[in-house]
Amino acid sequence: MTTTTRRANAARALIAARAPRRWGAWYVAEHRFRGMKAYTQTVIATGIGSPLMYLFAMGVGLASLVDANVEQNGLAVSYLVFVAPALLAMAAFEAAAEEFSYPIMLGFKWNPIFTGMGASPVTPGQIIDGQVIAVTVRIAVTSGLYYLFMLLFGAVPGELGWLSLFTAVLTGLAFGTLLMAYVATLENDSGQIAMVMRFLVLPLTLFSGTVFPLTQLPWFLQWIGWLSPLWHGTELGRVLSYGHHEPIWLTIIHMAYLLLLTVIGWMLARRVAARRLNR
């Protein structure tokens, strides 16, 4: 091969690498979307079935046992209206836990497609960005379906209720990006992810003021809710959905806390991926 030919090939390679270097995150997201096609039916079935069952069971069935409206800060609403924003945030929370756990382990370990991506012009940071893009869309779809059922059940009296969609997605990202950063550090799965699901995800859904106000918990358990992104997302949803009364500074803290967790988790995941894929 002559020097001229080598230079021409190098020039073509550099040109071909420009697009992946610039749009690598979207290429990775496209790959993840194609992977999600394998379980699209499951996503749609759970996206429709879960809100139908939860809203009917919790908002209609259990609500029939609640003999009075839920009182919070001087505002009385039906139990269905009270619990619906929490169920929406929980749906986003659980979808993020699913998509940022085993699929990330799959990409790093079991079917190390991330290693293959890292050998291309796509950077480790773009691989993580692509995961976040794809999972954000997945959470948004799940939350959107849930919100439609909330409307059908008449559980959104407030005009700003549609904004709770965004806070639900942010709730999922706040927890999911931290989970992704943790999973990215695992060399082997010897039950760590299952323990996270059982001893972190499940307790958070129970102790985050979702199906009853956080103030009903014993004082020594309320700190769990204060740390939980699910409680902050639920409270934001209630403010937007039916005008739950709380100080404006507390609403700002809810939003800032969720954004802070999302940024920390996202940056940590990028850092771990760079260290792991650039060995």
Side-chain angles (χ1 to χ4, degrees):
M1 182 179 295
T2 65
T3 303
T4 304
T5 304
R6 285 197 294 271
R7 288 178 177 173
N9 290 339
R12 282 196 293 271
L14 288 174
I15 294 173
R18 286 176 184 170
R21 284 196 175 280
R22 185 173 185 180
W23 306 106
W26 294 98
Y27 288 176
V28 174
E30 180 186 359
H31 176 271
R32 186 67 189 273
F33 286 136
R34 291 178 182 275
M36 289 179 180
K37 287 176 64 177
Y39 54 94
T40 299
Q41 293 178 342
T42 302
V43 172
I44 295 175
T46 55
I48 295 175
S50 293
L52 187 61
M53 289 190 296
Y54 274 98
L55 286 170
F56 190 80
M58 303 289 292
V60 179
L62 183 60
S64 64
L65 302 177
V66 180
D67 57 1
N69 290 335
V70 179
E71 179 75 17
Q72 269 202 305
N73 300 330
L75 178 65
V77 296
S78 69
Y79 187 69
L80 173 62
V81 171
F82 169 78
V83 80
L87 296 177
L88 175 64
M90 285 171 60
F93 184 81
E94 291 172 354
E98 292 173 4
E99 297 291 347
F100 281 124
S101 54
Y102 289 107
I104 300 300
M105 193 68 187
L106 180 73
F108 277 114
K109 179 66 178 179
W110 297 325
N111 181 21
I113 188 66
F114 294 167
T115 304
M117 293 176 179
S120 73
V122 176
T123 66
Q126 289 175 324
I127 294 173
I128 296 300
D129 295 347
Q131 301 303 313
V132 173
I133 293 170
V135 176
T136 299
V137 173
R138 157 78 162 88
I139 299 173
V141 170
T142 298
S143 301
L145 290 171
Y146 220 108
Y147 185 74
L148 288 177
F149 278 93
M150 287 169 59
L151 292 176
L152 290 175
F153 276 78
V156 190
E159 295 180 354
L160 299 178
W162 59 276
L163 290 174
S164 60
L165 275 174
F166 296 97
T167 59
V169 173
L170 184 59
T171 302
L173 290 177
F175 176 76
T177 53
L178 287 172
L179 178 60
M180 175 172 60
Y182 168 68
V183 172
T185 65
L186 299 178
E187 295 290 344
N188 294 290
D189 177 29
S190 53
Q192 297 96 322
I193 298 177
M195 286 191 285
V196 167
M197 297 297 178
R198 292 179 183 176
F199 300 116
L200 185 61
V201 173
L202 181 59
L204 286 182
T205 59
L206 298 175
F207 295 102
S208 296
T210 50
V211 294
F212 52 83
L214 187 65
T215 52
Q216 298 299 310
L217 278 175
W219 63 268
F220 56 87
L221 290 178
Q222 293 185 15
W223 63 272
I224 299 175
W226 301 335
L227 294 178
S228 169
L230 185 54
W231 177 67
H232 294 276
T234 296
E235 291 298 285
L236 278 175
R238 285 172 177 151
V239 170
L240 296 167
S241 181
Y242 64 83
H244 166 59
H245 293 163
E246 68 176 16
I248 185 64
W249 60 264
L250 186 54
T251 302
I252 294 173
I253 286 179
H254 292 323
M255 183 62 73
Y257 186 72
L258 294 177
L259 287 172
L260 180 64
L261 291 185
T262 300
V263 171
I264 290 176
W266 195 337
M267 293 302 106
L268 281 176
R270 285 173 62 96
R271 188 171 181 176
V272 173
R275 186 176 69 240
R276 188 163 181 171
L277 297 177
N278 288 333
R279 289 175 177 172

